[in-house]
Amino acid sequence: EGMTLQQGIKGIELINDDGNCLEVVVGAGESWHDWVLHAVERGWNGVENLALIPGSVGASPMQNIGAYGVEVKDHFLWLEAVNRKTGELQRFDHAACEFGYRESIFKQRERNLWVIVRVAFALERNAPLHMEYGAIQSELHHLAPQEITHKDVSEAVMRIRRSKLPDPAELGNAGSFFKNPILHATAFQEVLSNHPNVVHYPLEDGSFKLAAGWLIEQAGWKGKRRGNCGVHDKQALVLVNYGEATGQEIWKLAKDIIQDVRAKFGVELQPEVNQIRVS
Ligand code: EPU
């Protein structure tokens, strides 16, 4: 129901190159993954850990997409967006985007006001490799560390993603439906004392990020199907649409999961996915 417009602005333009550091401007309608492949093929490095994320380049700063230790904000320079009320084109630098974990001004404070049309990225020929994630290290363990290239990392990421995340072209999904919850130290200690195995990551500011996928799996939802929708059997953070499930059915499932995780762990899950209400 309702009208959907799909952004089709294309183009990839290298506008600055000092031999190492590059500034590349990309049309918002380019496929994110095709842009990553384009960059990796040319040795424009930095976004290789973000391979195979579905969606467009214009959507990438909207919720500061991230995976395997890298977020769009780490390589973001500026973007241009059209104000839907005035029709004016405005440039946003890094600070103006108010990036956070899967957040930006475009998803929160100024939601629905802007249409992003171009995004500029800072890449490097000699960018460091990001291999902190154990899954990437195990994928590449057969290679000597000095041999590993950015392309190897992007291929490892693609293999890992294909092994647990459903392809939206085959099985409807929106990636992680929930964000990994962040708890202050005291709230975290309480969860830990009741659930010593809770998967968690300490953050620099003293708070802790919990693995929502673990919470949902432990609550018994992983692989559960309800009518035309369900929880993916290989990654409990992903809700899937097996056919014609409506938005209401998906949202009902999400709400039941939120309620159950709250009851079992005292932790509040927040959706990562935007909900659009059509009147
Ligand atoms: N886990 C489970 N059961 C599950 C899923 C996860 O126990 O069903 C536990 C495991 O212990 C695992 C840990 O959770 O070690 C983390 O799982 P994973 O590495 O799959 O990552 P994630 O935290 O579930 C996040 C992002 C993904 C991103 C991956 C890799 C969020 C909400 N999700 O998932 O991003 O690809 O890390 O960096 O932050 C997305 O945002 O749409 C997305 C797919």
Side-chain angles (χ1 to χ4, degrees), residues 1-18:
E1 286 175 61
M3 180 171 67
T4 305
L5 299 180
Q6 185 172 4
Q7 161 81 260
I9 297 171
K10 294 279 177 9
I12 297 176
E13 199 186 343
L14 177 60
I15 61 167
N16 270 309
D17 179 356
D18 74 359

Side-chain angles (χ1 to χ4, degrees), residues 66-69 101-102 133 161 164-165 174-176 178-180 199 201 211 213-214 217 222 234-237 272:
Y68 302 102
Y101 166 52
R102 299 293 191 278
Y133 271 66
R161 290 187 73 96
K164 52 182 171 185
L165 294 169
S176 299
F178 304 100
K179 295 203 274 188
N180 284 327
V199 177
Y201 316 93
W214 186 87
E217 177 171 353
K222 192 171 184 171
K234 298 196 186 80
Q235 192 3 318
L237 257 188
E272 175 182 331

Side-chain angles (χ1 to χ4, degrees), residues 45 51 56 59 63 106 147 167 221-222 232 242 249 252:
N45 298 315
S56 65
Q63 61 169 42
F106 309 103
E147 278 177 13
D167 179 349
W221 289 93
K222 192 171 184 171
H232 190 47
Y242 290 104
E249 284 170 79
K252 172 83 174 66

Side-chain angles (χ1 to χ4, degrees), residues 16-270:
N16 270 309
D17 179 356
D18 74 359
N20 178 39
C21 296
L22 313 158
E23 180 173 359
V24 190
V25 181
V26 187
E30 291 283 351
S31 136
W32 173 264
H33 178 61
D34 290 351
W35 148 239
V36 171
L37 293 182
H38 181 100
V40 169
E41 280 306 318
R42 282 160 184 75
W44 303 349
N45 298 315
V47 287
E48 55 283 348
N49 291 45
L50 304 178
L52 220 55
I53 297 182
S56 65
V57 167
S60 66
M62 173 75 80
Q63 61 169 42
N64 182 24
I65 59 170
Y68 302 102
V70 176
E71 290 178 311
V72 146
K73 74 171 172 57
D74 304 333
H75 295 279
F76 174 92
L77 278 176
W78 52 265
L79 63 76
E80 281 171 349
V82 175
N83 184 312
R84 287 179 55 194
K85 287 204 179 119
T86 65
E88 277 170 71
L89 186 69
Q90 187 169 313
R91 190 175 275 220
F92 289 74
D93 64 12
H94 200 286
C97 293
E98 299 181 9
F99 289 123
Y101 166 52
R102 299 293 191 278
E103 293 294 354
S104 75
I105 192 170
F106 309 103
K107 192 175 168 189
Q108 290 291 348
R109 212 152 51 74
E110 299 192 358
R111 185 174 172 161
N112 292 338
L113 182 59
W114 299 99
V115 177
I116 296 168
V117 291
R118 304 207 291 167
V119 187
F121 298 94
L123 300 175
E124 269 182 85
R125 292 204 167 79
N126 300 319
L129 294 171
H130 284 285
M131 297 190 43
E132 301 80 12
Y133 271 66
I136 297 185
Q137 289 169 24
S138 352
E139 277 293 324
L140 299 177
H141 75 278
H142 59 287
L143 297 175
Q146 66 277 13
E147 278 177 13
I148 298 174
T149 65
H150 297 86
K151 192 171 181 187
D152 293 328
V153 173
S154 75
E155 285 168 356
V157 165
M158 287 189 249
R159 287 195 293 274
I160 298 164
R161 290 187 73 96
R162 287 199 175 104
S163 72
K164 52 182 171 185
L165 294 169
D167 179 349
E170 286 161 17
L171 182 58
N173 76 91
S176 299
F177 195 91
F178 304 100
K179 295 203 274 188
N180 284 327
I182 296 170
L183 268 57
H184 293 302
T186 33
F188 168 69
Q189 287 307 331
E190 198 171 324
V191 177
L192 186 68
S193 63
N194 295 324
H195 307 278
N197 298 330
V198 64
V199 177
H200 62 276
Y201 316 93
L203 301 180
E204 274 172 12
D205 65 359
S207 58
F208 292 83
K209 195 184 251 190
L210 305 190
W214 186 87
L215 298 171
I216 297 167
E217 177 171 353
Q218 296 301 309
W221 289 93
K222 192 171 184 171
K224 246 193 190 169
R225 180 168 179 162
R226 210 158 70 180
N228 260 330
C229 58
V231 180
H232 190 47
D233 58 352
K234 298 196 186 80
Q235 192 3 318
L237 257 188
V238 179
L239 303 189
V240 291
N241 190 335
Y242 290 104
E244 301 295 314
T246 61
Q248 277 91 344
E249 284 170 79
I250 306 266
W251 185 230
K252 172 83 174 66
L253 175 65
K255 279 199 297 194
D256 289 350
I257 293 171
I258 292 172
Q259 204 173 28
D260 200 28
V261 166
R262 186 192 299 129
K264 293 197 165 103
F265 298 96
V267 174
E268 195 65 28
L269 292 182
Q270 306 282 350

